[in-house]
């Protein structure tokens, strides 16, 4: 299960839902994960597109991990800065760190055996 983090200093725009509509692809990924007491920070540029998310106005869309999958139908919901995406028995709860017309930063926080976070920077497809 994932939880959110508090982030000070950034208020989401009133039109966050409208900005979210469309297709987004990852361009940068960084993380700091702690497993069995070992910290594992990573930073990775996505010169290729690893993840693709499409958000439609009806609360549905698709998600794709281009490394090992085909597009999966996805249901999504937005409550304040919490973006929940459910596809094929996977439920991810992201915190929206930042969103503009062309840039989206999402963060997953882990609080179980695996602790830490993964942050994805995405760009809007075609922009």
């Amino acid at each position: 299960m994932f939880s959110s983090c508090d982030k000070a200093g950034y208020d989401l725009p009133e039109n966050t839902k409208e900005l979210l509509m469309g297709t987004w692809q990852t361009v940068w990924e960084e993380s700091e994960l702690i497993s069995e007491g070992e910290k594992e920070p990573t930073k990775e540029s996505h010169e290729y597109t690893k993840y693709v998310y499409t958000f439609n106005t009806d609360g549905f869309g698709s998600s794709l991990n281009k490394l090992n999958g085909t597009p999966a139908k996805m249901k999504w919901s937005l409550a304040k800065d919490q973006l929940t995406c459910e596809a094929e028995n996977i439920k991810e709860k992201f915190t929206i760190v930042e969103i503009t017309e062309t840039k989206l930063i999402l963060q997953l926080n882990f609080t179980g055996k695996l602790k830490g976070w993964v942050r994805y920077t995405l760009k809007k497809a075609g922009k």
Side-chain angles (χ1 to χ4, degrees), residues 70-99:
T70 58
K73 289 184 179 181
M74 175 182 73
K75 181 179 179 184
W76 66 272
S77 62
L78 182 65
K80 297 186 181 181
D81 65 349
Q82 298 299 296
L83 174 63
T84 302
C85 300
E86 297 179 65
E88 295 182 0
N89 300 322
I90 297 172
K91 182 176 183 177
E92 295 178 309
K93 192 170 195 174
F94 296 100
T95 299
I96 297 177
V97 176
E98 181 180 342
I99 187 167

Side-chain angles (χ1 to χ4, degrees), residues 60-126:
F60 290 90
S62 63
S63 66
L64 169 65
N65 178 338
K66 289 185 97 172
L67 298 180
N68 63 6
T70 58
K73 289 184 179 181
M74 175 182 73
K75 181 179 179 184
W76 66 272
S77 62
L78 182 65
K80 297 186 181 181
D81 65 349
Q82 298 299 296
L83 174 63
T84 302
C85 300
E86 297 179 65
E88 295 182 0
N89 300 322
I90 297 172
K91 182 176 183 177
E92 295 178 309
K93 192 170 195 174
F94 296 100
T95 299
I96 297 177
V97 176
E98 181 180 342
I99 187 167
T100 68
E101 288 186 19
T102 59
K103 181 179 178 182
L104 173 62
I105 300 176
L106 299 174
Q107 182 166 312
L108 280 174
N109 296 295
F110 303 95
T111 58
K113 279 185 173 181
L114 182 65
K115 296 184 184 336
W117 52 267
V118 177
R119 187 175 283 185
Y120 302 102
T121 301
L122 301 96
K123 73 173 187 169
K124 194 159 243 181

Side-chain angles (χ1 to χ4, degrees), residues 31-87:
S31 65
E32 184 173 287
L33 301 174
I34 301 168
S35 178
E36 298 179 14
E38 297 286 324
K39 213 179 245 191
E40 301 172 21
T42 64
K43 292 185 178 179
E44 177 180 317
S45 173
H46 291 189
E47 294 176 11
Y48 56 91
T49 297
K50 185 174 181 180
Y51 300 109
V52 178
Y53 293 94
T54 299
F55 300 96
N56 299 323
T57 58
D58 62 0
F60 290 90
S62 63
S63 66
L64 169 65
N65 178 338
K66 289 185 97 172
L67 298 180
N68 63 6
T70 58
K73 289 184 179 181
M74 175 182 73
K75 181 179 179 184
W76 66 272
S77 62
L78 182 65
K80 297 186 181 181
D81 65 349
Q82 298 299 296
L83 174 63
T84 302
C85 300
E86 297 179 65

